[in-house]
Every structure is written in structure tokens, then in C-alpha cells.
């Protein structure tokens, strides 16, 4: 039997990551793959990177990971202190040379044999681009074009912050959701709020039987707020207002 846990889109939220890792450890799951976007937007980019390095798990390159390796100055005058670019620049300034060197080890895609002739292909947005989005509504023809160049029996990516599992022809395509930045974007939720749970997935391959479990676990929101206060992250009070305690 082969078991692997998938985590993605941690976004600098260490309390959420620790909650997920505690659940994974409790089930004695030793294989973990991270699907990228590890550091930006949250208050603990260095701490999250250090925890991933300690795990030694393979990590996929996400779009925000790539941004941190080549941050762009705001020359337009329009990137105010609420923009993602502003937080990207703040995050990049927190990282040491060793952190950036670690980000450069992230891979565009990771192919993982699970036994029983099952191959898991891990990526961030799609197998061909960390910027592409695969959702439940992606047309079949478009999805086929995204997957065709890298055959597998099971595909897994993040990026959308929405858990998903769908069958496409004879393969499964899944998204474990986001560890650190869940978005409650279902109407009538206006404005969007962030419920205080962390998402991940567990895959089990056993004798030709494939099981995919989408999980969520609550995390310590007060610990995240304390980290915001201690970190100097821009607009900490404003950011706290987006979170919904569960």
C-alpha cells in the first residue's frame, strides 16, 4: 500500500501548516508533496520555508514562488498597500539568501509512482504552466490539452484555493485546496471571508484500488493573529478582518 499526503498554497501561514502536519503524522503518512505557493501573503514566510526544509518533501514551483525569485518594483504608482504585489515585495524582503536558494530547487512538475501501475503527476496550476487554472468548470477539450503532454493516471494541482476532484476520461484530476488561505467565495458571501481551517488531501493506492480523501482541519487563528502582530506585515489589522473563526 502506498500513501501520500498533498499540501498546497501555504502562503506563509505556519499555524495552519502545523495543524495539517499534525494530522498527517497521526496517520503515519510519511510521503508528502507540496504543490507550491509556500510563502507569500502570510506573516511567517521564513518559518514556513524552514518547516518545509525540515520535512525534506519535494515541492512544486508555484506562481508566487517564482515571483519571489524576481520581485518587480512598483514603478506605476498604482500598486498600493492593499495589492498582492505590495505583499510580495514585503515577503521577498524577509527572506535570506538561503531561503531564496531553497525556492530555486522547486520543480515545475513532480512525477510520483504509487505502485499498481499508478503514476501521480503533481504541478501547481497545470502540467504546462503554474499560472493556468483547472477548475470543475474547465471545458473537457481545454483540460485535455493541459494534461496530454504528461500522461498519468492521477493529476494533482493547487493554485485555485478550491478543493476539487473530477474524472476526465480515464484519469482523476484533483486539487487538495489550500493549507493557509481558504477563500469562502460562495455567494452570498460578500465580501469574501477566510474561514479558519486548512485543507489537504490523502491518496492511497492499494492493489489496484485508488482512494482520494479531501480533508480540512481547524487551526489556531489566534496564533496566526499573534504572528501578524509580531511580524510587521503591512496592514495587519485590515488583514485580520478578513478571517472568519470556525
Amino acid at each position: 500500500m502506498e500513501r501520500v499526503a498533498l499540501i498546497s498554497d501555504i502562503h506563509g501561514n505556519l499555524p495552519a501548516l502545523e495543524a495539517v502536519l499534525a494530522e498527517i503524522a497521526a496517520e503515519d503518512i510519511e510521503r508528502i508533496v507540496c504543490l507550491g505557493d509556500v510563502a507569500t501573503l502570510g506573516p511567517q514566510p521564513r518559518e514556513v520555508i524552514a518547516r518545509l526544509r525540515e520535512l525534506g518533501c519535494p515541492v512544486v514551483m508555484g506562481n508566487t514562488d517564482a515571483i519571489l525569485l524576481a520581485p518587480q518594483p512598483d514603478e506605476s504608482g498604482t500598486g498600493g498597500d492593499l495589492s498582492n504585489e505590495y505583499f510580495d515585495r514585503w515577503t521577498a524582503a524577509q527572506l535570506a539568501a538561503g531561503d531564496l536558494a531553497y525556492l530555486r530547487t522547486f520543480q515545475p512538475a513532480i512525477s510520483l509512482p504509487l505502485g499498481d501501475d499508478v503514476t501521480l503527476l503533481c504541478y501547481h496550476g497545470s502540467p504546462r504552466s503554474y499560472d493556468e487554472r483547472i477548475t470543475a468548470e474547465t471545458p473537457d477539450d481545454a483540460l485535455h490539452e493541459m494534461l496530454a503532454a504528461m500522461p498519468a493516471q492521477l493529476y494533482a494541482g493547487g493554485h485555485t484555493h478550491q478543493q476539487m476532484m473530477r474524472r476526465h476520461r480515464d484519469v482523476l484530476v484533483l486539487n487538495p485546496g489550500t493549507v493557509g488561505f481558504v477563500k469562502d467565495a460562495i455567494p452570498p458571501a460578500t465580501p469574501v471571508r477566510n474561514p479558519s481551517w486548512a485543507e489537504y488531501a490523502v491518496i492511497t493506492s492499494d492493489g489496484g484500488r485508488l482512494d482520494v480523501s479531501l480533508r480540512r482541519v481547524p487551526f489556531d487563528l489566534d496564533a496566526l493573529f499573534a504572528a501578524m502582530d509580531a511580524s510587521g506585515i503591512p496592514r495587519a489589522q485590515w488583514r485580520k478582518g478578513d478571517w472568519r473563526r470556525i
Side-chain angles (χ1 to χ4, degrees):
M1 181 173 69
E2 297 283 348
R3 302 188 77 199
V4 59
L6 299 177
I7 59 177
S8 188
D9 296 273
I10 304 165
H11 287 290
N13 185 340
L14 185 64
L17 176 60
E18 293 291 7
V20 167
L21 294 179
E23 295 257 320
I24 293 170
E27 295 192 44
D28 294 321
I29 301 171
E30 296 181 353
R31 300 177 77 185
I32 301 173
V33 179
C34 178
L35 306 181
D37 276 13
V38 304
T40 59
L41 299 180
Q44 295 165 294
R46 296 188 306 272
E47 293 85 347
V48 165
I49 287 173
R51 191 68 172 95
L52 288 175
R53 294 179 76 171
E54 178 183 297
L55 287 175
C57 65
V59 185
V60 170
M61 179 70 75
N63 59 301
T64 67
D65 305 316
I67 287 171
L68 291 177
L69 294 174
Q72 300 298 312
D74 179 23
E75 297 176 347
S76 66
T78 60
D81 63 358
L82 302 185
S83 68
N84 283 346
E85 292 82 2
Y86 187 82
F87 290 108
D88 291 340
R89 291 193 295 274
W90 178 85
T91 301
Q94 311 309 305
L95 302 184
D99 299 321
L100 297 174
Y102 174 66
L103 294 184
R104 293 188 185 96
T105 69
F106 293 1
Q107 305 169 56
I110 295 169
S111 182
L112 194 67
L114 298 182
D116 305 313
D117 296 321
V118 174
T119 297
L120 167 66
L121 185 70
C122 300
Y123 47 85
H124 184 68
S126 82
R128 66 185 185 185
S129 170
Y130 51 56
D131 284 321
E132 286 191 321
R133 295 169 57 86
I134 295 177
T135 71
E137 292 79 29
T138 301
D140 286 343
D141 289 346
L143 180 58
H144 184 68
E145 290 180 3
M146 294 179 189
L147 305 181
M150 302 184 73
Q153 288 71 50
L154 182 61
Y155 293 84
H159 191 45
T160 66
H161 294 216
Q162 296 289 326
Q163 286 185 317
M164 179 203 72
M165 183 167 65
R166 65 181 278 188
R167 184 174 64 84
H168 174 69
R169 302 185 181 183
D170 57 350
V171 305
L172 289 177
V173 183
L174 71 106
N175 188 319
T178 169
V179 170
F181 202 55
V182 175
K183 296 180 181 180
D184 186 359
I186 301 173
T190 305
V192 172
R193 289 289 185 255
N194 308 123
S196 57
W197 69 67
E199 299 172 338
Y200 68 107
V202 174
I203 299 169
T204 303
S205 177
D206 186 11
R209 179 179 178 180
L210 188 65
D211 177 81
V212 178
S213 177
L214 299 177
R215 312 281 186 87
R216 77 182 189 194
V217 58
F219 69 87
D220 188 344
L221 187 60
D222 290 328
L224 178 65
F225 285 174
M228 288 182 180
D229 291 336
S231 67
I233 192 171
R235 299 297 298 271
Q237 288 302 122
W238 170 77
R239 293 175 69 82
K240 289 179 187 179
D242 286 345
W243 286 94
R244 176 167 61 86
R245 193 181 300 273
I246 60 169

